[in-house]
Amino acid sequence: MHVNHGATLRGVGQSYVDDEAFFLAENGKQDAAAELRASWRALNPAGSPARCRFPARYRFLAEHLDWQEPHPLDHCEDYLKWRDDMPIGQLVLVFPAAYLNSPSSMFGHTLLRLDDRPEPESVWLSRSINFGAEVPADNSISYIWQGLAGGYPGQFSVVSYGKKIRDYGFLENRDIWEYALNLSHDELDWVVRHLWELRDINFDYFFFDENCSFRLLELIKIGRPSSKLMVGYRFAELPVNTVRALYTADLVAARRYRPSKVNELQHLAGHLADEELRWARRLADSPAQADLAEFQAFASQRRNLMAQVAYQSLRIENRLGPRKDDVARRSLALLRIVQRNEAPPLEPVPEPDAPEQGHLTKMLALQAGRRGGHEFLELGFRLTYHNILDPLSGFLPGAGIEGLNLRLRLTESEGLDLERLDLVNIRSLAPRGEFVKPTSWFVHGGLEQVLGVQDERNLGLFLQGGPGASWRLGDFRPYVLGVARVEMVSGMEPSVTAGAGTETGFVYYHRNLQWGFISQILYFDDNFYRHRSALTADMPVSHNNALRAGCAYEAWRENGESSCQLEWRHFF
């Protein structure tokens, strides 16, 4: 009955379900005992229509009360037909990795997949079980607010898994991780029965805790009640923590990596020389170029590879919008070139570190430093999730999502003060290449100490962000961003001001060291400018601990001051 035993603070002792159609007792949401009694009365008579609505409840009561009927659900034609269409051989948790161009998918997503048998030859006939917010669109800022406040209803849905592969791996360029669970056929029967009961049933959707991952853990626990999946209080139920919970409960039998189409394209393109890349680009625009003598001079395997890259790039560039006849003709012509030439032996796309192998998602930090000739100590806490310079294993390079990052600073002259409170800090440095040219962007808002006249620092409320571009040169990723900023700073005139400028920098990624440089200059409407530059290095010292050091310089008009600091970061 989805009773909250303290996993979240809302409605402890009540059902998570917010739909009256789910209950048989008038006060069933608030009183689980009354709902149990009402279920006994409704489900006991043979041929009861309530059995067709609640087949999992019926099985629960029949087993505990020793109801003996040979075919108790034979009158439930709709349920039995639906049940026959459901594959019940294996349950898989699917984790499409983060997609930063959609606020609803910043942390990744989780769904379940039902296969007809373990290790099926094809998953295109499998069914996906998804829980999501019912909203008209999910790319507006209002989605975040409504999701935090429970402003949208959430529902379970069952659709073709092939559609989900196309949506996540092709349209949204997301790697997909699949975790096969070791539930028995009898345990899967519980899950499928209860899934029927949840059709069109509304739950309040909360972005942080009562979200897709939380609901799927509840559903899996129906199959194996003895698993400790819902133990403990959950303030933030992130998809990666759902995967970790399954490993902790010993529910994972196997893991599989399914790369996105863009990663497949980049893998193929990485085998081409510069001249061959130019040929692939020419073929994508005009497959007839393959008849030229210069192209035919390449070895057959090289022609095959160039045509594959051209085909993949053409499909990705035109993946959105209606089907175009010209694109379809070029795609078919490129496939014919591929078929006419010998396929080269290629290794599959290398599997990166799995999401659950990354550092944990909360963080405590202790920092010591010197700014403007004064020493300071700083204590930090971050609720979630990952900074672009944090240890990289298990995370997407160039992607950073931070929420509720609190910094308290202690100095001899000022005492304890709030240094900053980042409510949200998102960065997406997606590298541009020969065939894929995404837009990089960032948004950052909260409270911070702002440098002003005569080196005074005052607490200010700010929001800044903007689009840009980044590139990849081996492990080196330079970038440039446009920046627009609005701030309201106490003690400064005017108290509210707006500015614009640029930010340039780079990130250097290595498994054992990350470097970052940032230089931002902003011109404000009150005829002044602010310049900030910082160089930072982060070195992992264990799986959930890192050492970070850096120096920075900040200037307001002709005034400026420098700082250096050393920080210990612990993830938990």
Side-chain angles (χ1 to χ4, degrees), residues 206-226:
F206 291 90
F207 189 75
F208 273 125
D209 49 11
E210 296 179 35
N211 53 21
C212 63
S213 297
F214 185 87
R215 295 287 168 239
L216 295 183
L217 285 179
E218 277 195 299
L219 187 60
I220 294 169
K221 187 174 175 63
I222 294 293
R224 188 173 294 176
S226 61

Side-chain angles (χ1 to χ4, degrees), residues 375-564:
E375 287 78 19
F376 66 84
L377 290 174
E378 189 170 288
L379 178 66
F381 167 76
R382 187 181 70 199
L383 176 65
T384 189
Y385 163 67
H386 178 72
N387 177 273
I388 62 172
L389 292 180
D390 282 340
L392 188 59
S393 176
F395 291 89
L396 184 66
I401 311 170
E402 296 180 276
L404 197 63
N405 187 10
L406 173 68
R407 294 284 171 153
L408 299 175
R409 179 169 292 190
L410 177 65
T411 61
E412 185 176 357
S413 59
E414 300 293 336
L416 186 65
D417 206 352
L418 175 63
E419 177 66 17
R420 69 180 311 113
L421 174 60
D422 293 333
L423 298 178
V424 61
N425 186 5
I426 305 172
R427 282 180 175 262
S428 176
L429 303 180
R432 299 169 68 86
E434 180 70 27
F435 301 101
V436 183
K437 303 183 185 300
T439 299
S440 296
W441 61 276
F442 85 108
V443 61
H444 186 190
L447 295 165
E448 69 174 356
Q449 295 288 342
V450 176
L451 182 67
V453 181
Q454 297 179 349
D455 296 340
E456 293 180 356
R457 302 178 75 238
N458 299 283
L459 191 65
L461 178 68
F462 74 96
L463 177 65
Q464 63 179 2
S470 64
W471 300 265
R472 181 176 181 179
L473 306 172
D475 295 328
F476 184 73
R477 298 195 177 205
Y479 69 89
V480 58
L481 298 167
V483 183
R485 178 179 172 110
V486 177
E487 63 182 31
M488 181 172 62
V489 183
S490 61
M492 294 183 64
E493 293 295 338
S495 60
V496 179
T497 186
T502 61
E503 177 181 313
T504 57
F506 70 81
V507 180
Y508 174 82
Y509 284 118
H510 187 273
R511 177 170 292 273
N512 297 317
L513 185 67
Q514 291 81 237
W515 285 89
F517 174 76
I518 180 173
S519 179
Q520 184 185 93
I521 185 166
L522 295 174
Y523 294 90
F524 289 83
D525 55 10
D526 194 36
N527 194 30
F528 74 88
Y529 69 90
R530 182 184 296 124
H531 171 241
R532 294 174 173 176
S533 294
L535 179 65
T536 308
D538 189 282
M539 181 178 67
V541 295
S542 68
H543 183 72
N544 284 307
N545 293 280
L547 195 62
R548 180 170 292 194
C551 290
Y553 178 78
E554 183 177 4
W556 185 90
R557 289 182 177 167
E558 68 279 3
N559 303 308
E561 59 183 20
S562 59
S563 63
C564 288

